[in-house]
Amino acid sequence: MDGEQEGARASDMSTELTARVPQLLEAMRSVGTGLQLHSTLDRICETAAALTDARYAAIGVVAEDGDGLSDFVHHGVDAATARLIGRLPDGQRGLLGALIKHSEPVLLADLSADPRSCGFPPHHPPMRSFLGVPIRVQGEIFGNLYLTEKRGGARFDDDDLSMVRVLATEAGIAIGNARLYEAAQQRERWIDGAVAVTTALLSGGDAEDALQVVAEQVRHLSDSTAGLVLLPADEGGLEIVAVSSERPTEALGVVVTPESEITTRLLAGEAVFLEDAANDPRVLSALARHYGPAMLLPLRSEGRVLGTLVTLRGRGARTFTEGERTLAAQFAAQAALALKMAEAQRDRERLAVYEDRDRIARDLHDLVIQRLFATGMMLESAQRKSVVPAVQQGVGRAVDELDVTIQEIRTAIFALQQEPAEAPSGLRTRVLREINTAAVPLGFKPSHHFVGAVDAVVGELTGKNLIAALREALSNAFRHADADRIDVVVDATVTLPDGTPGVRLTVADDGVGIPEGGRRSGLKNLKRRAESLGGDSWYGPGIGEDGGGTGVVWQAPH
């Protein structure tokens, strides 16, 4: 009688399993559609839950080092409940951790009774019945498929296990295809990003704009919260020269100390990868407190470190995979090569300028001065021959003017033959130097006015950015304004809208103004630089008739 009962049960089970084959085939077909990895994981969870009549399903993606989970995709828990639960499982302990270490199917009537279980966090829905099956992709463990809480209070049986194992095999194939497709798409995006960076660096445009493109591209491509570009600082260490961030930051212009172990390694050409930048003892900058995983990649070309590329994710975000690290390193190498080529291009342009200056100096000396000197001698001869006192006096004044002109030309020749001087330490002196430098291409010297103890109250970081803003504003005036007059005012006595003391730079001209739809990248640079310090920048009417021209205002805390 017992044998007959066993045979009947086996027959019933076979019949039930056979009846569910069409459902399994449909599930396999559903799992195999689509090539986006995350949507594929979502679809596997949803399909597995429907196939086994489970209330909840999840896939835990095992980390590359096999220690815990790098991702956790779930189905059945609504968004509000998920927010109350908070952090997703990390696979470091409990039943999920045990399944990572021992990748075998698990079938439990009550998972809370299993000795490997460590309980649920607050707000977690109750779960009793449990089915867990490993998912393999090309023979390697990708993760585990978990199903819990079979509807109606029933428990998962061997038929459920058999069907889920078949589904897991198909899921492994689908995940493998999705990973290959996603990897190809990711490589294509990084290649496009490298092309954009190379184009920006070699376009001959503003260097700050080009470095900003590098920061924006690496943040976007690495799916990060922030991207930074750092270049070697004059005083040692690395200075942040470009920032792309989802949140406001005061990072621009900050110098990372050369005493940092990380700085030493980067300047030696080594890449540094951090799991948690906020809590890494090697990170000395307070800026890291908002960030978790980080990649710090040297911009290295032909054995020379030109700078550093940094990409940061938020605290608690997933770590960078080996594939992402490899692609980012290749991107950094391409950016370094483009940076070196751009530097060589600027050196050639600078050499051409020096050669042109030498030619102008020679022409001034050999042609202009000689002709002026000959003209002076002719006038002196005419003066001696004239008997009219008024004529003698007029000619004498003309000869004196020629002498002064010759001296001024000789001074200009001397200036053309000099290398650019080192920037003095005082802010007032540096402002005057920028004004004097701009006078050469402008053809006139801008007027200037200082208000307050500029050198005493303005800090080094703000002063450095103010000089860069002044240079940008004067350059814009020279290139676009067609002005006859420019006024520069540096006021260190202003109070910013939030009540903090600050310094305000105003550069106003009487030129043609900013045309409608005209290029405003320089003005964007000024605003970005000011905002990075907690300040602001804007433009308005100039000092021409009826407000003609442009007035640019830049301000920041001391």
Side-chain angles (χ1 to χ4, degrees), residues 72-94:
F72 189 83
V73 180
H74 57 85
H75 166 78
V77 177
D78 60 81
T81 304
R83 283 195 297 271
L84 289 173
I85 296 172
R87 190 168 182 175
L88 294 171
D90 56 13
Q92 296 291 332
R93 58 197 181 94

Side-chain angles (χ1 to χ4, degrees), residues 353-354 356-366 368-369 372 403-420 436-437 439-441 443:
V353 170
Y354 287 154
D356 205 31
R357 288 170 62 175
D358 287 341
R359 179 187 58 78
I360 293 171
R362 286 195 305 272
D363 288 347
L364 286 172
H365 182 272
D366 297 341
V368 178
I369 288 183
L372 289 174
D403 287 340
V404 172
T405 301
I406 289 171
Q407 291 302 319
E408 289 178 347
I409 292 175
R410 283 176 173 162
T411 301
I413 292 172
F414 180 76
L416 286 168
Q417 293 173 333
Q418 300 305 303
E419 292 291 333
N436 290 331
T437 301
V440 176

Side-chain angles (χ1 to χ4, degrees), residues 273-283 288-294 312-317 319:
F273 301 100
L274 307 177
E275 297 296 323
D276 186 4
N279 295 310
D280 195 302
R282 298 172 296 172
V283 179
R289 65 184 181 276
H290 302 298
Y291 302 106
L312 301 146
R313 283 178 177 161
R315 300 191 65 176
T319 58

